[in-house]
């Protein structure tokens, strides 16, 4: 058996030698090839199986510091602060006017008192109406109860104011002027003789003998009229004359 193996080995060697001399490329052609086989190296085997799990290692070193976190929520509001000190006194304002008044479309202001919607002022007089109507006696009574007097103009400015107030109401007003006491002699309610007048043409005519009061047309002109007419009454506050 051993002998047989040796022969096979020898046979193999001779075969290799024979193979080398014919196939091997050598640097020097003159030299016969040495007995070194030029076979290719075998490839690596498959990797072995994983080994068993090793013992547990020691704890690692402390890690690096982490990045900064997001800002937290706002805290509760603080206590109320103390009261501030008093500011400096402001500059003195302009002095107020003496009974200054403005009037526009019935909106009248006198020293900060608003006469709305039916008042007007002329000088220190205030003419005002609630828009009510009545006969002469009723109108006189209502006006005096209200602490005024039935309006009775002493000049064209006052007449225009009464005319304007009547125009807002689209009504004709009574004046305090009358000739009740003496026919044909018109006076104011306080008995004062008529200075200013603004009669329409052909007036006063004492029509049918019963016209002892005065109404104001939309033109501002006067007409004598019955005491029992029902007309707008305009009150006169403040001075009468
Ligand atoms: C007198 O005046 C009234 C208005 O008050 C008028 O209706 C009348 O026509 C006048 N009469 C005369 C004669 O002018
Ligand atoms: Ca008359
Ligand atoms: Ca008349």
């Amino acid at each position: 058996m051993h002998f047989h193996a040796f022969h096979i080995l020898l046979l193999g060697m001779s075969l290799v030698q024979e193979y080398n001399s014919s196939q091997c490329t050598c640097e020097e052609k003159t030299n016969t090839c040495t007995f070194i086989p030029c076979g290719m190296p075998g490839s690596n085997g498959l990797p072995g199986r994983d080994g068993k799990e090793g013992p547990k290692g020691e704890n690692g070193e402390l890690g690096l510091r982490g990045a900064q976190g997001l800002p937290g929520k706002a805290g509760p509001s603080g206590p109320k602060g103390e009261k501030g000190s008093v500011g400096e006194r402001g500059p003195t304002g302009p002095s107020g006017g003496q009974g200054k008044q403005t009037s526009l479309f019935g909106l009248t202001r006198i020293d900060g008192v608003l006469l709305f919607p039916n008042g007007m002022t002329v000088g220190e007089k205030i003419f005002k109406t609630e828009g009510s109507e009545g006969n002469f006696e009723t109108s006189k009574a209502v006006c005096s109860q209200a602490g005024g007097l039935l309006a009775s103009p002493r000049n064209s400015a006052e007449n225009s104011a009464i005319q304007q107030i009547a125009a807002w109401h689209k009504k004709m007003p009574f004046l305090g002027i009358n000739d009740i006491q003496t026919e044909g002699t018109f006076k104011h309610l306080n008995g004062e003789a008529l200075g200013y007048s603004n009669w329409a043409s052909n007036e006063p005519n004492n029509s049918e003998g019963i016209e002892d009061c005065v109404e104001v047309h939309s033109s501002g002109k006067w007409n004598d009229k019955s005491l029992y007419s029902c007309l707008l009454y305009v009150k006169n506050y403040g001075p009468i004359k």
Side-chain angles (χ1 to χ4, degrees), residues 178-180 182-186 204-207 209-213 224-225:
N178 67 90
D179 70 339
I180 296 169
T182 308
E183 174 56 40
T185 304
F186 285 85
N205 65 357
N206 199 35
S207 178
I210 58 164
E211 294 185 329
D212 292 345
C213 288
D224 60 341
K225 192 79 174 178

Side-chain angles (χ1 to χ4, degrees), residues 135-174:
N135 62 37
F136 185 72
E137 287 302 317
T138 303
S139 299
K140 267 202 308 184
V142 171
C143 290
S144 55
Q145 277 168 19
L149 201 63
L150 194 57
S152 198
R154 262 68 174 187
N155 55 55
S156 62
E158 293 179 7
N159 193 66
S160 294
I162 294 165
Q163 177 192 353
Q164 178 64 72
I165 290 167
W168 291 330
H169 291 270
K170 297 182 169 66
K171 292 172 180 174
M172 284 198 281
F174 267 133

Side-chain angles (χ1 to χ4, degrees), residues 5-78:
F6 181 70
H7 269 269
I8 291 171
L9 182 62
L10 284 177
L11 177 63
M13 286 172 69
S14 63
L15 281 172
V16 167
Q17 195 172 4
E18 192 79 12
Y19 176 79
N20 283 343
S21 61
S22 60
Q23 297 290 327
C24 182
T25 55
C26 302
E27 297 206 351
E28 290 181 29
K29 290 222 172 189
T30 53
N31 286 352
T32 58
C33 291
T34 55
F35 187 64
I36 297 171
C38 298
M40 301 287 282
S43 59
N44 288 334
L46 291 171
R49 288 188 188 169
D50 289 343
K52 283 189 180 177
E53 194 171 324
K56 185 176 181 180
E58 289 180 18
N59 284 340
E61 285 181 25
L62 190 63
L64 291 174
R65 186 188 178 94
Q68 186 174 3
L70 292 171
K73 286 185 184 176
S77 59

